[in-house]
Amino acid sequence: MKKLLVYLTVFVGMASFAQTGPKIEFKEETINYGEVEKGKDDGIRIFEFTNTGDAPLIITNAKSSCGCTVPEWPKEPIAPGGKSQIKVQYNMNPGPISKTITIESNAVNKPNGMVPLRIKGTVIVKEEVSPLVKKKTFPNS
């Protein structure tokens, strides 16, 4: 009987800590561009998420770690069970990509409702060789 009482107390205690409210769950929190070619990739990537909570989810802001990455987010509340997306566009500067987009929301399952999303990869510039340019040849020695 004492064991049953202890288990019941633990179960009720755990249930009281269950969070109610909006919860944000991303399909992925990091997107790897891989190696992409400047001029052939528009730099747009999509972070998909779901409100897994029991109240409307509101995203109040999305900030990038630099001006080279522009985020777009839904301005309307996302209903419980609803899905939406954060659209991110990188300006495709040549070189390594390592940027963070911070999402601010009323989600109870994230510290202060904030979620850091990351993009990474490398932008390369492929040199085009004109067919009009003559190849250098070396005389046989």
Side-chain angles (χ1 to χ4, degrees):
M1 190 64 155
K2 282 186 177 183
K3 281 186 178 182
L4 180 61
L5 186 58
V6 169
Y7 286 127
L8 188 59
T9 303
V10 169
F11 178 73
V12 169
M14 287 174 54
S16 67
F17 285 112
Q19 295 175 321
T20 60
K23 296 179 185 175
I24 191 167
E25 295 293 335
F26 280 88
K27 187 175 178 182
E28 55 188 336
E29 292 186 8
T30 299
I31 291 180
N32 187 350
Y33 281 59
E35 191 171 275
V36 292
E37 193 175 326
K38 183 174 177 76
K40 295 208 175 182
D41 189 312
D42 61 7
I44 296 173
R45 299 296 186 273
I46 304 293
F47 288 93
E48 297 176 351
F49 67 89
T50 303
N51 177 1
T52 58
D54 58 7
L57 172 70
I58 300 169
I59 296 178
T60 55
N61 199 4
K63 298 188 276 193
S64 173
S65 57
C66 74
C68 59
T69 308
V70 179
E72 291 181 27
W73 67 94
K75 307 302 190 264
E76 67 283 344
I78 310 302
K83 297 176 185 263
S84 193
Q85 59 189 19
I86 307 289
K87 178 180 168 184
V88 176
Q89 182 166 18
Y90 180 65
N91 71 359
M92 303 304 281
N93 283 337
I97 304 169
S98 181
K99 305 297 176 200
T100 301
I101 300 91
T102 304
I103 306 305
E104 298 175 10
S105 73
N106 64 339
V108 297
N109 64 325
K110 300 292 180 178
N112 298 317
M114 300 178 110
V115 183
L117 302 176
R118 292 178 176 79
I119 58 171
K120 62 182 185 176
T122 305
V123 178
I124 60 170
V125 177
K126 196 168 190 174
E127 290 187 33
E128 293 185 28
V129 179
S130 170
L132 301 176
V133 175
K134 186 176 178 182
K135 287 186 178 180
K136 291 183 182 179
T137 58
F138 297 100
N140 291 340
S141 303

